Amino acid sequence: MGRPRTPLLSKDSIATAALRLVDRTGEFTIAQVADALGVRPSSLYNHLSSKGEIVEAMRSLVFREGGVEAGAPGPWDQTVRSRLRRYRECFAAHQRLIPLVTSYTVSSPEVMGMYDELAETLRAAGVPNGQLLDVITMCDSIVLGAALDLAAPDEGWAVDQARSPALIAAIQQAGSGRQRSDRAFELALDILIAGIANLANQSS
């Protein structure tokens, strides 16, 4: 019998192996990725030279799988809503990746392309250059928080421990699970869009 064939390595195959580890445990090491691929750790360095580059490759893979790519131009508010909804779904499928990607500088071309489009869309809506990154950061915070919220228990708040009548009523009326999370995310988008419009009007 011949020797086992070495698997064909690429950025995507390394990112896929790392993502599987992260989905299971929330972390990965280069040694673990190499072991999962049946190669020596040194073999990975021909494609990705550091843990940070693997994280960026995972980020890129998740965005491509989720279809968060540049789209046809349209009304700015519809573009923002569409992109952020897809962005949320990407990380809802890989929630344990969120702490990792927020620890590294965004640099992958596919992901930077999404941010390029978002910046141009917001600028066209009237957001001043000096506040563009503030608004983009707010978009990130809403999306990643909403993605994590999808991992929350169906009953997120213990109603029997609430003392405020307002909170008790809110918990009882909110529903549970995905329905509650989706409704809260859509409300956040409404408030975000209204805030962006107000900011643009103030600066015009």
Short mmCIF file of all heavy atoms in Angstrom, two decimals, residues 59-100:
data_model
loop_
_atom_site.label_atom_id
_atom_site.label_comp_id
_atom_site.label_asym_id
_atom_site.label_seq_id
_atom_site.Cartn_x
_atom_site.Cartn_y
_atom_site.Cartn_z
N ARG A 59 -13.06 34.72 8.82
CA ARG A 59 -14.01 35.82 8.67
C ARG A 59 -14.44 35.93 7.20
O ARG A 59 -15.62 36.07 6.88
CB ARG A 59 -13.37 37.13 9.12
CG ARG A 59 -14.35 38.27 9.25
CD ARG A 59 -13.71 39.65 9.37
NE ARG A 59 -12.58 39.78 10.22
CZ ARG A 59 -12.55 40.41 11.41
NH1 ARG A 59 -13.67 40.93 11.88
NH2 ARG A 59 -11.42 40.52 12.09
N SER A 60 -13.45 35.85 6.31
CA SER A 60 -13.74 35.92 4.88
C SER A 60 -14.62 34.77 4.43
O SER A 60 -15.59 34.96 3.68
CB SER A 60 -12.41 35.92 4.10
OG SER A 60 -12.65 35.92 2.72
N LEU A 61 -14.32 33.56 4.90
CA LEU A 61 -15.10 32.38 4.53
C LEU A 61 -16.55 32.53 4.97
O LEU A 61 -17.48 32.25 4.21
CB LEU A 61 -14.46 31.15 5.17
CG LEU A 61 -15.16 29.80 4.92
CD1 LEU A 61 -15.07 29.42 3.45
CD2 LEU A 61 -14.52 28.71 5.79
N VAL A 62 -16.75 32.99 6.19
CA VAL A 62 -18.10 33.14 6.73
C VAL A 62 -18.89 34.18 5.93
O VAL A 62 -20.07 33.99 5.63
CB VAL A 62 -18.04 33.51 8.23
CG1 VAL A 62 -19.37 34.03 8.72
CG2 VAL A 62 -17.61 32.31 9.05
N PHE A 63 -18.23 35.28 5.56
CA PHE A 63 -18.91 36.31 4.78
C PHE A 63 -19.29 35.79 3.39
O PHE A 63 -20.39 36.07 2.90
CB PHE A 63 -18.03 37.55 4.66
CG PHE A 63 -18.26 38.57 5.74
CD1 PHE A 63 -18.02 38.25 7.08
CD2 PHE A 63 -18.72 39.84 5.44
CE1 PHE A 63 -18.23 39.18 8.08
CE2 PHE A 63 -18.94 40.77 6.45
CZ PHE A 63 -18.70 40.44 7.76
N ARG A 64 -18.39 35.05 2.77
CA ARG A 64 -18.70 34.53 1.44
C ARG A 64 -19.81 33.50 1.50
O ARG A 64 -20.70 33.48 0.64
CB ARG A 64 -17.43 33.93 0.80
CG ARG A 64 -16.52 34.99 0.21
CD ARG A 64 -15.34 34.36 -0.53
NE ARG A 64 -14.29 33.95 0.37
CZ ARG A 64 -13.86 32.70 0.53
NH1 ARG A 64 -14.41 31.72 -0.15
NH2 ARG A 64 -12.88 32.43 1.38
N GLU A 65 -19.77 32.64 2.50
CA GLU A 65 -20.82 31.63 2.65
C GLU A 65 -22.18 32.29 2.88
O GLU A 65 -23.21 31.79 2.44
CB GLU A 65 -20.49 30.69 3.80
CG GLU A 65 -19.38 29.70 3.50
CD GLU A 65 -19.10 28.78 4.69
OE1 GLU A 65 -19.58 29.09 5.80
OE2 GLU A 65 -18.39 27.77 4.50
N GLY A 66 -22.17 33.43 3.60
CA GLY A 66 -23.41 34.11 3.91
C GLY A 66 -23.89 35.06 2.83
O GLY A 66 -24.94 35.69 2.98
N GLY A 67 -23.12 35.20 1.76
CA GLY A 67 -23.55 36.07 0.66
C GLY A 67 -23.48 37.54 0.97
O GLY A 67 -24.25 38.33 0.41
N VAL A 68 -22.57 37.95 1.87
CA VAL A 68 -22.43 39.37 2.18
C VAL A 68 -21.41 39.96 1.21
O VAL A 68 -20.26 40.18 1.52
CB VAL A 68 -21.98 39.60 3.63
CG1 VAL A 68 -21.95 41.10 3.95
CG2 VAL A 68 -22.92 38.91 4.59
N GLU A 69 -21.87 40.19 -0.03
CA GLU A 69 -21.01 40.78 -1.03
C GLU A 69 -21.66 42.06 -1.54
O GLU A 69 -22.82 42.34 -1.24
CB GLU A 69 -20.77 39.81 -2.20
CG GLU A 69 -22.00 39.57 -3.06
CD GLU A 69 -22.99 38.58 -2.47
OE1 GLU A 69 -22.58 37.80 -1.61
OE2 GLU A 69 -24.17 38.63 -2.85
N ALA A 70 -20.90 42.83 -2.29
CA ALA A 70 -21.44 44.07 -2.82
C ALA A 70 -22.66 43.77 -3.68
O ALA A 70 -22.69 42.80 -4.44
CB ALA A 70 -20.37 44.80 -3.64
N GLY A 71 -23.67 44.60 -3.54
CA GLY A 71 -24.89 44.39 -4.29
C GLY A 71 -25.19 45.56 -5.21
O GLY A 71 -24.43 46.52 -5.31
N ALA A 72 -26.31 45.46 -5.90
CA ALA A 72 -26.71 46.53 -6.80
C ALA A 72 -27.09 47.77 -5.99
O ALA A 72 -27.62 47.67 -4.88
CB ALA A 72 -27.90 46.08 -7.64
N PRO A 73 -26.79 48.96 -6.51
CA PRO A 73 -27.14 50.18 -5.77
C PRO A 73 -28.65 50.32 -5.63
O PRO A 73 -29.42 49.88 -6.48
CB PRO A 73 -26.54 51.29 -6.65
CG PRO A 73 -26.41 50.68 -8.01
CD PRO A 73 -26.13 49.24 -7.79
N GLY A 74 -29.06 50.92 -4.55
CA GLY A 74 -30.47 51.16 -4.29
C GLY A 74 -30.60 52.20 -3.20
O GLY A 74 -29.60 52.82 -2.80
N PRO A 75 -31.80 52.45 -2.69
CA PRO A 75 -31.97 53.41 -1.59
C PRO A 75 -31.05 53.04 -0.42
O PRO A 75 -30.94 51.86 -0.06
CB PRO A 75 -33.45 53.27 -1.22
CG PRO A 75 -34.10 52.74 -2.46
CD PRO A 75 -33.08 51.84 -3.10
N TRP A 76 -30.42 54.04 0.17
CA TRP A 76 -29.40 53.76 1.19
C TRP A 76 -29.94 52.96 2.36
O TRP A 76 -29.26 52.06 2.87
CB TRP A 76 -28.76 55.07 1.67
CG TRP A 76 -29.65 55.91 2.55
CD1 TRP A 76 -30.47 56.93 2.18
CD2 TRP A 76 -29.78 55.80 3.98
NE1 TRP A 76 -31.12 57.46 3.26
CE2 TRP A 76 -30.71 56.79 4.38
CE3 TRP A 76 -29.21 54.98 4.95
CZ2 TRP A 76 -31.09 56.97 5.72
CZ3 TRP A 76 -29.60 55.14 6.28
CH2 TRP A 76 -30.52 56.13 6.66
N ASP A 77 -31.18 53.27 2.79
CA ASP A 77 -31.70 52.57 3.95
C ASP A 77 -31.95 51.09 3.66
O ASP A 77 -31.70 50.22 4.50
CB ASP A 77 -32.98 53.25 4.46
CG ASP A 77 -34.06 53.36 3.40
OD1 ASP A 77 -33.73 53.50 2.21
OD2 ASP A 77 -35.25 53.29 3.77
N GLN A 78 -32.42 50.79 2.44
CA GLN A 78 -32.63 49.39 2.07
C GLN A 78 -31.30 48.64 1.98
O GLN A 78 -31.20 47.48 2.37
CB GLN A 78 -33.38 49.30 0.74
CG GLN A 78 -34.82 49.78 0.82
CD GLN A 78 -35.55 49.64 -0.50
OE1 GLN A 78 -35.12 48.89 -1.39
NE2 GLN A 78 -36.65 50.34 -0.65
N THR A 79 -30.28 49.32 1.46
CA THR A 79 -28.96 48.70 1.35
C THR A 79 -28.40 48.38 2.73
O THR A 79 -27.88 47.28 2.97
CB THR A 79 -27.99 49.63 0.60
OG1 THR A 79 -28.48 49.85 -0.72
CG2 THR A 79 -26.59 49.03 0.53
N VAL A 80 -28.52 49.33 3.66
CA VAL A 80 -28.01 49.11 5.01
C VAL A 80 -28.76 47.96 5.68
O VAL A 80 -28.15 47.05 6.27
CB VAL A 80 -28.12 50.39 5.85
CG1 VAL A 80 -27.80 50.11 7.33
CG2 VAL A 80 -27.16 51.46 5.32
N ARG A 81 -30.08 47.97 5.60
CA ARG A 81 -30.87 46.89 6.20
C ARG A 81 -30.48 45.52 5.63
O ARG A 81 -30.29 44.55 6.37
CB ARG A 81 -32.36 47.12 5.96
CG ARG A 81 -32.97 48.22 6.79
CD ARG A 81 -34.45 48.37 6.43
NE ARG A 81 -35.05 49.55 7.03
CZ ARG A 81 -35.56 49.58 8.26
NH1 ARG A 81 -35.54 48.49 9.00
NH2 ARG A 81 -36.08 50.69 8.74
N SER A 82 -30.39 45.44 4.30
CA SER A 82 -30.08 44.17 3.66
C SER A 82 -28.71 43.65 4.08
O SER A 82 -28.56 42.47 4.43
CB SER A 82 -30.12 44.35 2.13
OG SER A 82 -29.68 43.19 1.48
N ARG A 83 -27.71 44.53 4.06
CA ARG A 83 -26.36 44.09 4.42
C ARG A 83 -26.28 43.65 5.88
O ARG A 83 -25.66 42.64 6.20
CB ARG A 83 -25.35 45.21 4.15
CG ARG A 83 -25.16 45.52 2.69
CD ARG A 83 -24.52 44.33 1.95
NE ARG A 83 -24.58 44.53 0.51
CZ ARG A 83 -25.58 44.11 -0.25
NH1 ARG A 83 -26.60 43.46 0.27
NH2 ARG A 83 -25.55 44.32 -1.56
N LEU A 84 -26.91 44.40 6.78
CA LEU A 84 -26.82 44.07 8.19
C LEU A 84 -27.60 42.80 8.52
O LEU A 84 -27.19 42.03 9.40
CB LEU A 84 -27.28 45.24 9.06
CG LEU A 84 -26.44 46.53 8.93
CD1 LEU A 84 -26.85 47.52 10.00
CD2 LEU A 84 -24.95 46.25 9.01
N ARG A 85 -28.69 42.57 7.83
CA ARG A 85 -29.42 41.31 8.05
C ARG A 85 -28.57 40.12 7.64
O ARG A 85 -28.50 39.11 8.36
CB ARG A 85 -30.73 41.32 7.25
CG ARG A 85 -31.83 42.17 7.86
CD ARG A 85 -32.99 42.28 6.91
NE ARG A 85 -34.06 43.12 7.45
CZ ARG A 85 -34.86 43.89 6.70
NH1 ARG A 85 -34.69 43.89 5.38
NH2 ARG A 85 -35.79 44.63 7.26
N ARG A 86 -27.91 40.22 6.50
CA ARG A 86 -27.05 39.11 6.06
C ARG A 86 -25.84 38.96 6.98
O ARG A 86 -25.41 37.83 7.28
CB ARG A 86 -26.59 39.35 4.61
CG ARG A 86 -27.69 39.19 3.59
CD ARG A 86 -27.13 39.16 2.18
NE ARG A 86 -28.17 39.03 1.19
CZ ARG A 86 -27.94 38.90 -0.12
NH1 ARG A 86 -26.69 38.87 -0.56
NH2 ARG A 86 -28.92 38.79 -0.96
N TYR A 87 -25.29 40.07 7.38
CA TYR A 87 -24.15 40.07 8.30
C TYR A 87 -24.52 39.33 9.58
O TYR A 87 -23.76 38.48 10.08
CB TYR A 87 -23.79 41.52 8.55
CG TYR A 87 -22.56 41.85 9.36
CD1 TYR A 87 -21.70 40.89 9.86
CD2 TYR A 87 -22.25 43.18 9.64
CE1 TYR A 87 -20.59 41.22 10.60
CE2 TYR A 87 -21.15 43.53 10.38
CZ TYR A 87 -20.31 42.55 10.87
OH TYR A 87 -19.22 42.89 11.61
N ARG A 88 -25.69 39.62 10.11
CA ARG A 88 -26.14 38.95 11.34
C ARG A 88 -26.27 37.45 11.12
O ARG A 88 -25.84 36.65 11.97
CB ARG A 88 -27.48 39.53 11.78
CG ARG A 88 -28.09 38.86 13.00
CD ARG A 88 -29.54 39.26 13.12
NE ARG A 88 -30.22 38.70 14.28
CZ ARG A 88 -31.48 38.28 14.26
NH1 ARG A 88 -32.19 38.36 13.14
NH2 ARG A 88 -32.05 37.80 15.34
N GLU A 89 -26.85 37.04 9.99
CA GLU A 89 -27.04 35.62 9.74
C GLU A 89 -25.70 34.89 9.63
O GLU A 89 -25.57 33.74 10.05
CB GLU A 89 -27.87 35.40 8.47
CG GLU A 89 -29.33 35.83 8.60
CD GLU A 89 -30.05 35.12 9.73
OE1 GLU A 89 -29.84 33.89 9.91
OE2 GLU A 89 -30.81 35.78 10.45
N CYS A 90 -24.70 35.55 9.05
CA CYS A 90 -23.37 34.94 8.95
C CYS A 90 -22.86 34.52 10.33
O CYS A 90 -22.41 33.38 10.52
CB CYS A 90 -22.38 35.94 8.35
SG CYS A 90 -22.55 36.20 6.59
N PHE A 91 -22.94 35.44 11.28
CA PHE A 91 -22.38 35.15 12.59
C PHE A 91 -23.36 34.43 13.50
O PHE A 91 -22.94 33.81 14.48
CB PHE A 91 -21.85 36.44 13.23
CG PHE A 91 -20.54 36.86 12.64
CD1 PHE A 91 -20.49 37.88 11.71
CD2 PHE A 91 -19.38 36.20 12.98
CE1 PHE A 91 -19.28 38.24 11.13
CE2 PHE A 91 -18.17 36.55 12.41
CZ PHE A 91 -18.12 37.58 11.48
N ALA A 92 -24.63 34.47 13.18
CA ALA A 92 -25.59 33.64 13.92
C ALA A 92 -25.25 32.16 13.72
O ALA A 92 -25.47 31.34 14.61
CB ALA A 92 -27.01 33.93 13.46
N ALA A 93 -24.70 31.83 12.55
CA ALA A 93 -24.33 30.44 12.27
C ALA A 93 -23.00 30.06 12.90
O ALA A 93 -22.66 28.87 12.98
CB ALA A 93 -24.26 30.23 10.75
N HIS A 94 -22.22 31.06 13.34
CA HIS A 94 -20.90 30.79 13.91
C HIS A 94 -20.66 31.74 15.09
O HIS A 94 -19.72 32.53 15.09
CB HIS A 94 -19.82 30.97 12.84
CG HIS A 94 -20.00 30.12 11.63
ND1 HIS A 94 -19.72 28.76 11.62
CD2 HIS A 94 -20.48 30.41 10.39
CE1 HIS A 94 -19.99 28.26 10.42
NE2 HIS A 94 -20.45 29.24 9.66
N GLN A 95 -21.52 31.64 16.10
CA GLN A 95 -21.48 32.62 17.19
C GLN A 95 -20.18 32.58 17.98
O GLN A 95 -19.72 33.61 18.48
CB GLN A 95 -22.67 32.38 18.12
CG GLN A 95 -23.99 32.75 17.46
CD GLN A 95 -25.17 32.00 18.06
OE1 GLN A 95 -25.01 30.98 18.71
NE2 GLN A 95 -26.37 32.50 17.82
N ARG A 96 -19.55 31.42 18.07
CA ARG A 96 -18.32 31.33 18.85
C ARG A 96 -17.14 32.00 18.15
O ARG A 96 -16.08 32.18 18.75
CB ARG A 96 -18.00 29.86 19.15
CG ARG A 96 -18.95 29.26 20.17
CD ARG A 96 -18.58 27.83 20.51
NE ARG A 96 -19.34 27.35 21.66
CZ ARG A 96 -19.21 26.12 22.17
NH1 ARG A 96 -18.35 25.26 21.63
NH2 ARG A 96 -19.93 25.77 23.21
N LEU A 97 -17.33 32.34 16.89
CA LEU A 97 -16.28 33.05 16.16
C LEU A 97 -16.23 34.53 16.53
O LEU A 97 -15.20 35.18 16.36
CB LEU A 97 -16.51 32.90 14.65
CG LEU A 97 -15.49 33.54 13.71
CD1 LEU A 97 -14.09 32.96 13.93
CD2 LEU A 97 -15.93 33.34 12.25
N ILE A 98 -17.32 35.07 17.06
CA ILE A 98 -17.41 36.51 17.30
C ILE A 98 -16.31 37.03 18.21
O ILE A 98 -15.65 38.03 17.87
CB ILE A 98 -18.82 36.88 17.84
CG1 ILE A 98 -19.86 36.64 16.74
CG2 ILE A 98 -18.86 38.34 18.29
CD1 ILE A 98 -21.30 36.81 17.20
N PRO A 99 -16.04 36.43 19.37
CA PRO A 99 -14.94 36.96 20.21
C PRO A 99 -13.59 36.95 19.51
O PRO A 99 -12.75 37.83 19.75
CB PRO A 99 -14.94 36.04 21.44
CG PRO A 99 -16.32 35.47 21.48
CD PRO A 99 -16.73 35.32 20.05
N LEU A 100 -13.37 35.98 18.63
CA LEU A 100 -12.09 35.91 17.91
C LEU A 100 -11.97 37.03 16.89
O LEU A 100 -10.95 37.72 16.83
CB LEU A 100 -11.94 34.55 17.23
CG LEU A 100 -11.45 33.40 18.08
CD1 LEU A 100 -11.46 32.10 17.28
CD2 LEU A 100 -10.04 33.66 18.60
#
